[in-house]
Amino acid sequence: MRWLETRVPPPLAMLLCAAIGYMGSRWQPGGALQLPMPELLAGLVMVFGVVLNPLPKLAFRRVGTTVNPLRPAASSVLVTHGVYRYTRNPMYLGQATVLAGAMLYLQNLAALLAVPLFVLYINRWQIVPEERALSARLPEAYAAFRQRVRHWLQRGSGRYGAIWHFTAAE
């Protein structure tokens, strides 16, 4: 199924997963979750995800490399500063977070399954080919970057303790 690699724009994949989550919440109404202040919780999670999306795009534009996820081989510069010190995929992390917020709003366990579905899809058909292209185009720099920073979120400690850690198998 290599033909599917980098074919579906990630925002569209997120929307398709949201639709699946929504349908799942309607087909499985018995999976209701009782969340305190669901609108506020969902809104905060979604805002965090929305904030994650423009930061990496600005960094890409500043260094003059492509933001287009459907053409990873067109990347000319490896961005390793800013939010990229903590995650190799901040745009996808932002999209997964927006999706998580939307599914939390539905307050249904079946809807929440859309988030791991999105992560699995993005890992296999978007991140793997992107990493293959970056490894071919910028082998030493990308190998060092992969060594330092995880797919999703880098574990770190700072003034307030450890940062949330979520990553796929490397």
Side-chain angles (χ1 to χ4, degrees), residues 10 14-16 19 35 66 72 83 87 100 108 121 129 136 138-139 143 145-146 157 162 167-169:
M14 178 190 70
L15 291 174
L16 291 171
L35 300 172
T66 184
V83 71
T87 174
N108 185 284
Y121 175 84
L138 308 160
F145 182 55
R146 283 185 68 162
S157 59
T167 187

Side-chain angles (χ1 to χ4, degrees), residues 54-65 79 81 84:
L55 298 174
K57 290 175 185 168
L58 290 172
F60 275 38
R61 287 200 173 100
R62 274 190 210 117
V63 298
T65 193
V79 179
H81 61 280
Y84 284 93

Side-chain angles (χ1 to χ4, degrees), residues 16-165:
L16 291 171
C17 287
I20 291 168
Y22 177 79
M23 289 186 300
S25 73
R26 298 299 169 241
W27 291 333
Q28 292 296 321
L33 299 171
Q34 298 301 317
L35 300 172
M37 299 185 290
E39 293 87 3
L40 178 63
L41 178 62
L44 289 173
V45 172
M46 289 179 75
V47 164
F48 179 70
V50 168
V51 167
L52 277 175
N53 272 292
L55 298 174
K57 290 175 185 168
L58 290 172
F60 275 38
R61 287 200 173 100
R62 274 190 210 117
V63 298
T65 193
T66 184
V67 175
N68 185 350
L70 304 181
R71 298 196 41 207
S75 296
S76 59
V77 177
L78 183 62
V79 179
T80 60
H81 61 280
V83 71
Y84 284 93
R85 290 178 292 153
Y86 306 103
T87 174
R88 291 198 312 254
N89 299 289
M91 289 179 250
Y92 304 144
L93 178 60
Q95 291 165 0
T97 305
V98 167
L99 180 61
M103 297 302 100
L104 282 171
Y105 180 78
L106 296 175
Q107 297 187 71
N108 185 284
L109 198 54
L112 286 173
L113 294 175
V115 179
L117 177 65
F118 175 76
V119 170
L120 289 170
Y121 175 84
I122 288 297
N123 274 335
R124 171 58 188 94
W125 284 287
Q126 194 64 45
I127 292 173
V128 167
E130 285 178 3
E131 293 199 333
R132 191 170 45 242
L134 287 168
S135 291
R137 191 148 175 96
L138 308 160
E140 295 85 19
Y142 193 67
F145 182 55
R146 283 185 68 162
Q147 201 67 29
R148 280 191 326 273
V149 181
R150 294 181 180 271
H151 275 298
W152 293 96
L153 261 181
Q154 182 67 26
R155 185 174 191 92
S157 59
R159 192 167 150 187
Y160 301 106
I163 294 174
W164 176 52
H165 176 71

